[in-house]
Amino acid sequence: MSLIAPLVNLPFLGSSLTFMLVYVWSKRNPWTQLQFVGLMTFTAPWLPWVLMGLSLLLGHEVKADLLGIGVGHCYYFLKWIYPEITHPNKVHLIRTPRWLQYLFMERDGIELPDNENDMNNAPPDGNFVAENLM
C-alpha cells in the first residue's frame, strides 16, 4: 500500500487499511449474513462492495477503497489460496513472524508448534495444543 499510495496521490492510508481488513474478513467468512441499514441483507463477501457503493453515493472518491480491496485481494490470495494451489508442497509466500505468533497466541492459551513439520500437521482450526502435536 505504501508503494502505491504516492502514485495515486493518497497521503493517508487509514481507510485503505480498513478496506483491506474488511475484504480479508469478508473472504474468510463467506457465509456470514449481514444487514445494511435495515434495507438489504447480503453475505459477507459483498460487504466491501456495498461500502464502496455507499462511498460513491455520498460523493466520496473511491481510490482509497479500491486500493484497500486490491491489496486485500493480493494478501488473501498469497496467504490462503496460493498454498492450496501448490498443494503437495504448500508453498507459503507470506508467513506470520514467530515472535508475533508467540505474542498473540500465548495469551489465548494456545501453544505454538516447535518446528515447521508440526505446522504442516496442524489441525484445520489452527488450535495448537499439546495433544494435537503428538
Side-chain angles (χ1 to χ4, degrees):
M1 251 191 279
S2 297
L3 298 174
I4 300 171
L7 299 174
V8 291
N9 197 21
L10 288 174
F12 181 66
L13 295 175
S15 60
S16 296
L17 178 63
T18 302
F19 258 84
M20 181 254 186
L21 294 172
V22 166
Y23 183 86
V24 170
W25 177 85
S26 68
K27 295 295 269 186
R28 298 283 293 157
N29 299 286
W31 304 113
T32 302
Q33 292 284 322
L34 302 169
Q35 191 171 24
F36 187 70
V37 193
L39 298 175
M40 55 195 255
T41 302
F42 54 91
T43 56
W46 289 99
L47 180 60
W49 305 106
V50 169
L51 293 176
M52 190 175 69
L54 179 64
S55 292
L56 278 172
L57 284 175
L58 295 175
H60 299 168
E61 284 195 34
V62 293
K63 286 190 298 187
D65 303 350
L66 287 171
L67 178 62
I69 289 172
V71 170
H73 181 74
C74 291
Y75 177 78
Y76 179 77
F77 178 81
L78 293 174
K79 179 72 175 167
W80 287 287
I81 303 298
Y82 188 73
E84 292 300 318
I85 292 173
T86 60
H87 178 60
N89 299 328
K90 288 214 175 193
V91 177
H92 293 275
L93 297 176
I94 297 178
R95 292 185 188 269
T96 306
R98 298 278 294 170
W99 66 269
L100 194 59
Q101 289 178 357
Y102 179 77
L103 181 67
F104 289 101
M105 294 182 98
E106 182 188 39
R107 290 195 175 116
D108 293 337
I110 299 171
E111 296 178 21
L112 290 175
D114 292 332
N115 60 34
E116 197 62 37
N117 292 333
D118 291 339
M119 286 291 270
N120 293 334
N121 297 327
D125 61 359
N127 291 329
F128 296 106
V129 292
E131 62 265 13
N132 291 337
L133 298 176
M134 296 182 185

